[in-house]
Amino acid sequence: MPKGTDLICTFFIEPEGISLKEAAGGVAAESSIGTWTELTTTQPYMNKLAAHVFSIEGNVVKIAYPIELFEPSNMPNILSSVAGNVFGLKALKNLRLLDIQMSKELIRSFKGPRFGIAGIRKLLKVPVRPLVGTIIKPKLGLDTKDHADVAYEAWSGGCDIVKDDENLSSQKFNPFEDRIVQTLESRDKAQKETGERKVYMVNITAETETMLKRAQAVVDQGGEYIMVDILACGWSALQTIRNQNLKLVIHAHRAGHAAFTKNPKHGIAMRPIATVARIIGVDQLHVGTVVGKMSETKGEVLENIDACKAELGGLKPVLPVASGGLHPRLVPALLETFGKDVVIQAGGGIHGHPNGTMAGAKAMRQAVDATLESKTLEEYAKTHSELKEALKLWSA
Ligand code: CAP
Ligand code: MG
């Protein structure tokens, strides 16, 4: 059986031409002291470093890796060990990493979330209700002034959060430096007028040194949030950003995750991706929606939420973000899946409102209020015209 300090991986394994037991042993060997062929060792201490298969149920295999195999606070090292060469072995038809569990000792060598759910709620002064956010759309092409104007409308209508899209960085039509200055001016104006706290999640995604400069620029301009495309940037870059210990909430966009997560038999499930992101220290993470445009099932989304919030070496819980094809009609179903600790984020489902962005943001807040008051959206729409228009447009 595994030791308390071991790292444990759960894999789905489908062998090709060998037994499942051999395949499981091969995965354990390739990721620890062995390789594809049996080696005789003259150094007995090495056996202490061997990874061990300790459970096989159906095609689900659990492997324990001694902590000494890894360098603490080095996520690339950990992942190229347990989620590296093994995916390409000829003797495996399919291999999927379903879960990764690290000991408290290893987890504590990373920073973990600085803010987490409680810190974000404190910052935004929204103790209970779900947070409402939008992604500026069209995703690319707006110039800086239009970007800042659309953001202002979204905040004025009731959004707590405005975020850049994942592929907006510092293009000529909307350079980073100008964008933060002008969009934060919109934030300040909306904040003053509404009396609500408003935040801007600016996308700093770039080469690591540029990201560091951009993160510092956000601090200097009075921003409170940054957004990082965590898989495109890589774990190492994310860790570098987190290790600066800046007073910035880190919003994690997972663009590209489906290359790892979508095939149910092969790749890396979202759960371990969420676990790794939390251990490194993101505060918010996209986890799917069930009801929107992206493909995850309810079971998968619930697992992702669990990875964000379950006890994990004493780390703060990460705030789950629901995004992708959302609009006001979907709010009751979303809250049923997520509960109140969620950012409901809608791009097209806010800016696509027949009366524009401000009306779209109002409709979204009205849908949240209706659901929290246990009223049907139709009932609430009788006295709330923006929601009424939204329900007509998004009729199912
Ligand atoms: C949502 C979104 C997000 C996706 C990513 C988009 O916009 O900004 O990138 O949600 O998927 O461009 O699609 P809409 P996930 O509201 O207009 O769909 O959250 O599953 O990682
Ligand atoms: Mg997007």
Side-chain angles (χ1 to χ4, degrees), residues 294-312:
M294 305 306 251
S295 70
E296 283 150 300
T297 63
K298 184 160 183 175
E300 287 168 323
V301 172
L302 289 173
E303 274 210 1
N304 302 345
I305 295 170
D306 191 58
C308 287
K309 299 191 342 190
E311 159 51 31
L312 181 66

Side-chain angles (χ1 to χ4, degrees), residues 64-336:
Y65 304 78
I67 193 169
E68 294 79 9
L69 286 170
F70 312 110
E71 180 185 358
S73 110
N74 185 342
M75 196 60 85
N77 164 254
I78 295 169
L79 292 177
S80 44
S81 297
V82 302
N85 290 352
V86 285
F87 290 108
L89 290 173
K90 260 191 195 151
L92 305 182
K93 192 171 173 198
N94 281 301
L95 177 73
R96 183 168 171 85
L97 177 62
L98 301 173
D99 196 10
I100 187 165
Q101 291 164 265
M102 296 186 205
S103 64
K104 204 169 186 161
E105 202 177 334
L106 200 51
I107 290 173
R108 285 297 168 90
S109 71
F110 296 89
K111 285 209 173 341
R114 172 166 180 169
F115 290 83
I117 297 178
I120 291 165
R121 286 198 171 286
K122 195 168 163 214
L123 177 75
L124 275 152
K125 299 196 167 78
V126 179
V128 185
R129 103 173 134 72
L131 299 174
V132 172
T134 192
I135 314 105
I136 299 287
K137 301 280 172 173
K139 53 201 302 167
L140 290 184
L142 290 180
D143 67 19
T144 308
K145 182 178 180 308
D146 285 348
H147 181 102
D149 288 350
V150 173
Y152 169 75
E153 282 192 38
W155 279 313
S156 301
C159 285
D160 306 292
I161 297 173
V162 169
K163 114 171 169 46
D164 291 343
D165 226 324
E166 68 283 351
N167 49 359
L168 181 63
S169 52
S170 191
Q171 286 91 333
K172 271 193 186 147
F173 53 82
N174 194 353
F176 182 85
E177 289 287 342
D178 296 347
R179 184 165 83 249
I180 28 170
V181 172
Q182 293 188 34
T183 310
L184 288 175
E185 276 171 19
S186 292
R187 176 203 65 179
D188 292 346
K189 192 166 170 236
Q191 207 162 243
K192 218 168 153 196
E193 289 169 4
T194 60
E196 290 183 343
R197 289 287 277 117
K198 306 288 180 187
V199 290
Y200 173 40
M201 299 184 336
V202 62
N203 185 13
I204 65 162
T205 299
E207 166 281 321
T208 312
E209 280 180 15
T210 306
M211 282 209 290
L212 291 175
K213 287 189 197 130
R214 289 183 183 168
Q216 189 55 51
V218 175
V219 175
D220 297 344
Q221 293 299 332
E224 291 145 323
Y225 263 75
I226 48 173
M227 162 179 158
V228 181
D229 296 345
I230 56 172
L231 295 170
C233 290
W235 299 120
S236 168
L238 178 66
Q239 205 178 326
T240 303
I241 288 288
R242 175 61 186 98
N243 287 353
Q244 306 308 303
N245 219 9
L246 297 168
K247 217 174 155 201
L248 293 171
V249 180
I250 301 177
H251 174 93
H253 194 289
R254 56 179 185 159
H257 77 91
F260 300 98
T261 60
K262 202 168 179 184
N263 179 340
K265 290 188 164 183
H266 190 82
I268 303 180
M270 188 58 205
R271 187 185 178 97
I273 292 175
T275 301
V276 167
R278 181 174 173 194
I279 290 172
I280 292 176
V282 307
D283 297 289
Q284 299 187 171
L285 175 66
H286 287 233
V287 295
T289 62
V290 189
V291 289
K293 74 180 182 188
M294 305 306 251
S295 70
E296 283 150 300
T297 63
K298 184 160 183 175
E300 287 168 323
V301 172
L302 289 173
E303 274 210 1
N304 302 345
I305 295 170
D306 191 58
C308 287
K309 299 191 342 190
E311 159 51 31
L312 181 66
L315 295 184
K316 290 175 183 155
V318 166
L319 183 59
V321 176
S323 189
L326 299 183
H327 53 71
R329 187 176 285 281
L330 300 174
V331 168
L334 282 168
L335 296 195
E336 210 251 312

Side-chain angles (χ1 to χ4, degrees), residues 341-358:
D341 284 332
V342 60
V343 181
I344 299 175
Q345 218 171 248
I350 282 185
H351 308 293
H353 189 283
N355 301 114
T357 298
M358 197 182 294

